[in-house]
Amino acid sequence: MLQLPRHVDGRGSLGVIEAHDLPFDIRRIYYLHDVPMGAVRGEHGHRRLEQLILCMHGRVEVILNDGKRQFPFTLTDPNTGLYLPPGLWRRLRFLQPETTVCVLASRPYEKDDYIYDYEEFLAWARQRQGEG
């Protein structure tokens, strides 16, 4: 989890992300919105991509999996970002209406970076971790 700077005064809050706040250069930004409450997004892994996930509004559950263990997180604060290094399966479940999630990514969209089949991901993770 990365805590990001926040500036608060009588006019509200201003969140700031600068290059030195991230462990990667931003090459793509995308956002998820108008997702029905309870819906699931993600359910894939990345071979090379690094990401920072921010819940800009609402509440989202993020379950990460490295092929051995699961790591659950709940995001509710736009000043707390969840860093995802390469090699993790991710599953996002939207827990409140009107939740908006923003994702900062280290690479442009590359179809061959995605692993959509969970069994294929597990085999890739085992091989990556030197287990066969």
Side-chain angles (χ1 to χ4, degrees):
M1 299 290 265
L2 298 178
Q3 284 303 124
L4 300 167
R6 176 185 355 213
H7 306 281
V8 181
D9 65 24
R11 301 168 294 166
S13 297
L14 171 68
V16 177
I17 300 173
E18 296 189 23
H20 66 269
D21 294 325
L22 300 176
F24 59 86
D25 291 333
I26 300 169
R27 298 289 309 275
R28 180 169 54 124
I29 299 172
Y30 63 92
Y31 45 94
L32 305 164
H33 61 98
D34 296 333
V35 178
M37 188 172 76
V40 173
R41 299 291 307 248
E43 295 198 298
H44 62 267
H46 287 284
R47 293 174 173 90
R48 299 176 298 273
L49 186 71
E50 296 175 78
Q51 295 177 310
L52 184 71
I53 298 178
L54 303 161
C55 184
M56 305 308 290
H57 178 77
R59 185 178 185 90
V60 66
E61 174 188 62
V62 182
I63 306 284
L64 302 179
N65 183 321
D66 66 1
K68 291 182 178 181
R69 296 175 310 270
Q70 289 195 70
F71 307 93
F73 298 90
T74 300
L75 301 177
T76 59
D77 177 1
N79 294 102
T80 302
L82 180 60
Y83 171 66
L84 282 65
L88 294 174
W89 185 266
R90 78 277 333 275
R91 181 178 192 272
L92 285 73
R93 188 166 59 100
F94 286 68
L95 302 176
Q96 288 182 346
E98 300 181 21
T99 294
T100 301
V101 171
C102 181
V103 181
L104 312 178
S106 67
R107 303 174 69 92
Y109 173 77
E110 297 166 318
K111 185 177 181 179
D112 70 331
D113 186 56
Y114 286 74
I115 304 172
Y116 288 108
D117 180 85
Y118 185 65
E119 294 303 319
E120 180 184 341
F121 169 78
L122 290 176
W124 176 83
R126 282 191 299 273
Q127 181 182 15
R128 182 175 187 248
Q129 296 165 0
E131 296 176 12

